[in-house]
Amino acid sequence: MGGRNNKRKQHLPLPIELEKVTGKVTKAIYDKMKHDQVRDLKKKTAALKQSATGSGRKRAAPAAAQPSATPKKQKQQPAKRKPAAKPESEEDEESGEEPVMADGPDGGWDNAPLESDSEMGDSDAESLDEFDSDDDHVTQQPLSLLSDDSEEEDDDGGVESYDEFDSDDEQVTFRDMEKRSRKLDERRAEDAEMADMELQDQEQAVTSEREVFELPSEAQVEAEKEAPLDLTQVQMRIQEIIRVLNNFSDLRGPSHSRNDYMDQLKRDMCFYYGYNEFLMEKLLQLFTVSEAVEFFEANEVARPVTIRTNTLKTRRRDLAQALINRGVNLDPIGKWTKVGLTIFDSPVPVGATPEYMAGHYMIQAASSFLPVMALGPQENEKVLDMSAAPGGKTTYCSALMKNTGMMVANDANKEREKALVANIHRLGVSNAIVCNYDGREFPKVMGGFDRVLLDAPCSGTGVISKDASVKTNKGPEDFSMLTHLQKELILSAIDSVNADSATGGFIVYSTCSVTVDEDEAVVNYALSKRPNVRLVDTGLDFGRPGFTSFRGQAFHHSLALTRRFYPHAHNMDGFFVAKFKKTSNKIVVGDKQV
């Protein structure tokens, strides 16, 4: 009895084995409690408080049993029990009690017939009443559903008790459970419908506010020059103007033209992204207004750090494993290259590892792989890199040539050649010759090359994420000077190639710029000045085709074979690649041979 009293004082429920034996919980209710976790409060507290006289709660005896019920005061006499079985828990052994076991079928309790309260015997009723005394007022609950507080949840928002359906005359059925479940589903559906209606109202309100967008007046524009708006306000206005331009016929203002919206968009984007008006207008001409925003946003984010495996000393698999062992987080750049790796995170500087010092890799932008892949130098060829510093493309060519043939690395800037020479030595290149000439002096200095690579000096509009000064320091004079230099260099590169080469005769022209003036316009100029060359496929299976016409300018139809790369579309620096094939060493202009 001491063990039982301790249990009642601690407000612990009956062990689930005794619940099964006494039949207090029927099979259907037990399964429901087990799976749905529904609180089963067997008796309400108010009903227990009414037993203040000390008389115990009585249960109805079966019809075939004695008509008189056992008084509460006789509970202290030991009830007749069935033969005791071996204790099923350590708790029963410590209390010194023998648990009462029911005589069920061979299959166990789960297969036994369900037993109602009215079918219980006197001895079972007495043993059950021992746990329902008025001294403790403990309401029995299943183990898995017992909460810290024994109070009922009678409010509409809580889970109702099944005591409403659990009386002495009827049992809880699944029909009641289904009815309760349907009510809960209906309530959830109503809440979801109300939430959808509120969301639609908010969207309509936002849409109605956007539809009344008006361009600022001239007075407001002048006032903003003195007191600029907040960047958030400027960004919202950019989005509104783009929305209007994308559906101009329906959303335009009656007194404004498309140029009015474009002028305001240029002013706002110059202020928001920090470009000068000249460069902003030149870049906006390349894209739709929506894609232009993606391009400018991509220029605000640094490109991933990439390295190129030096196949003269190692393989990419071995290099990747060595760097992973040092804690470097990396992945292959893509399927288009077999030597590139992207570095996501490194506990040590990528340019200070033993592998870097040993020349196993070169820190190189993914976009600078492209012109070398397009050039495709072969073993035992004579190759010229006209603008070689700092040596990423030169050493890549030597690796593809397997240190055979001759690799001429030229650069007009003598200071930059220091890094070129250092990288050649570090990477183990032994077929390179370094020279310092103006590229326009070729082929007077040297000619007869099988292949020539010209990565021409440019404005750098494709690498703004690396050099933000390009946003403001490039004007019309810079583009005029650069395009003139590029046209001279490309003609020298064409003249330096031997068209009779058994394996070559190719020229690759590339820039890290995305402007048409430095790309398609220069290539089209070369085609018109050197009719003995033609454009061929670059061999790059991704990238966008070059322009064949641009803002009234018509270019040669073969310019579709060139390739453009953008930071927002290909996650690499902006780049342009064109590949020529020289068909003859003779230049025929009209009826004259040059």
Side-chain angles (χ1 to χ4, degrees), residues 499 530-533 582-589 592-594:
R530 294 294 185 268
N532 57 333
V533 297
K582 189 173 182 179
T583 58
S584 174
N585 289 324
K586 298 179 181 180
I587 304 174
V588 178
V589 179
K592 297 181 180 180
Q593 177 177 327
V594 181

Side-chain angles (χ1 to χ4, degrees), residues 8-245:
R8 291 200 301 272
K9 291 178 181 179
Q10 295 174 5
H11 299 282
L12 292 177
L14 284 173
I16 198 65
E17 292 83 7
L18 291 181
E19 288 185 341
K20 298 176 182 178
V21 170
T22 58
K24 182 72 174 182
V25 181
T26 63
K27 179 68 167 59
I29 299 178
Y30 175 76
D31 290 340
K32 184 60 180 176
M33 290 190 298
K34 180 178 179 181
H35 295 290
D36 298 343
Q37 298 186 348
V38 179
R39 197 183 301 272
D40 187 13
L41 304 176
K42 301 306 294 181
K43 295 296 179 181
K44 293 186 178 181
T45 306
L48 294 176
K49 290 182 179 180
Q50 292 177 0
S51 302
T53 59
S55 60
R57 182 163 48 86
K58 301 180 181 180
R59 287 185 174 271
Q66 295 294 332
S68 60
T70 303
K72 183 80 174 185
K73 60 184 179 180
Q74 297 179 0
K75 288 196 303 179
Q76 299 177 356
Q77 300 178 359
K80 295 181 180 180
R81 300 176 181 268
K82 296 182 180 180
K86 184 179 180 179
E88 293 185 2
S89 63
E90 297 179 359
E91 193 173 302
D92 294 334
E93 292 180 355
E94 294 176 359
S95 62
E97 297 179 294
E98 297 178 351
V100 180
M101 303 299 293
D103 293 332
D106 296 336
W109 185 84
D110 287 340
N111 296 326
L114 302 182
E115 184 180 29
S116 64
D117 292 344
S118 61
E119 297 173 352
M120 297 169 56
D122 293 340
S123 61
D124 292 337
E126 290 181 4
S127 63
L128 184 62
D129 288 344
E130 293 178 1
F131 299 94
D132 286 335
S133 65
D134 297 316
D135 298 334
D136 299 313
H137 302 288
V138 178
T139 302
Q140 176 187 343
Q141 301 178 15
L143 280 172
S144 60
L145 303 179
L146 187 67
S147 62
D148 294 337
D149 301 330
S150 60
E151 60 182 5
E152 298 178 358
E153 301 182 19
D154 292 332
D155 57 329
D156 294 337
V159 179
E160 299 180 1
S161 172
Y162 279 96
D163 290 330
E164 299 176 2
F165 307 98
D166 189 16
S167 64
D168 292 337
D169 298 331
E170 59 181 2
Q171 298 180 359
V172 177
T173 63
F174 280 103
R175 181 178 302 174
D176 301 323
M177 299 177 186
E178 292 175 356
K179 181 179 180 181
R180 187 180 304 277
S181 178
R182 284 195 297 270
K183 289 182 179 179
L184 292 175
D185 292 340
E186 291 175 358
R187 182 178 299 177
R188 293 192 187 97
E190 292 177 358
D191 293 342
E193 185 177 358
M194 292 294 295
D196 292 339
M197 293 176 62
E198 291 178 0
L199 182 61
Q200 292 177 0
D201 293 341
Q202 293 177 359
E203 291 178 351
Q204 291 177 358
V206 172
T207 302
S208 61
E209 292 176 1
R210 289 182 173 181
E211 289 178 352
V212 298
F213 170 75
E214 289 289 340
L215 286 174
S217 62
E218 294 183 0
Q220 291 174 332
V221 172
E222 294 296 328
E224 288 179 5
K225 293 180 180 179
E226 301 295 332
L229 295 178
D230 183 73
L231 287 178
T232 304
Q233 295 175 316
V234 176
Q235 183 185 28
M236 293 179 61
R237 189 161 66 186
I238 291 174
Q239 295 174 353
E240 291 297 328
I241 295 176
I242 291 174
R243 185 181 63 86
V244 173
L245 291 174

Side-chain angles (χ1 to χ4, degrees), residues 412-437:
N413 190 334
K414 195 170 184 177
E415 291 297 322
R416 285 168 55 88
E417 285 195 338
K418 294 179 181 179
L420 171 62
V421 173
N423 285 321
I424 287 176
H425 284 297
R426 182 175 61 85
L427 296 176
V429 174
S430 59
N431 67 338
I433 299 174
V434 179
C435 56
N436 175 227
Y437 289 101

Side-chain angles (χ1 to χ4, degrees), residues 348-497:
V348 295
V350 183
T353 63
E355 288 76 18
Y356 177 83
M357 298 298 182
H360 290 185
Y361 63 87
M362 176 82 175
I363 301 176
Q364 188 172 350
S367 56
S368 64
F369 293 15
L370 304 175
V372 179
M373 295 172 62
L375 185 65
Q378 306 296 317
E379 296 181 32
N380 299 311
E381 285 188 339
K382 184 180 177 182
V383 180
L384 169 65
D385 187 354
M386 293 189 71
S387 299
K393 289 180 283 294
T394 296
T395 54
Y396 192 7
C397 289
S398 294
L400 294 177
M401 298 165 63
K402 299 180 180 179
N403 262 344
T404 62
M406 182 174 65
M407 182 71 210
V408 178
N410 177 75
D411 199 274
N413 190 334
K414 195 170 184 177
E415 291 297 322
R416 285 168 55 88
E417 285 195 338
K418 294 179 181 179
L420 171 62
V421 173
N423 285 321
I424 287 176
H425 284 297
R426 182 175 61 85
L427 296 176
V429 174
S430 59
N431 67 338
I433 299 174
V434 179
C435 56
N436 175 227
Y437 289 101
D438 188 334
R440 293 171 290 186
E441 296 181 11
F442 286 88
K444 297 178 182 178
V445 176
M446 187 183 303
F449 293 97
D450 297 308
R451 300 172 193 259
V452 174
L453 172 61
L454 173 59
D455 187 22
C458 62
S459 62
T461 53
V463 291
I464 295 177
S465 60
K466 294 180 179 178
D467 184 9
S469 63
V470 176
K471 296 179 180 180
T472 56
N473 64 8
K474 290 295 184 291
E477 300 82 6
D478 299 293
F479 279 88
S480 177
M481 181 269 296
L482 286 170
T483 54
H484 180 72
L485 174 62
Q486 290 160 354
K487 291 175 181 178
E488 290 181 319
L489 288 173
I490 195 172
L491 294 182
S492 296
I494 293 172
D495 296 340
S496 300
V497 171

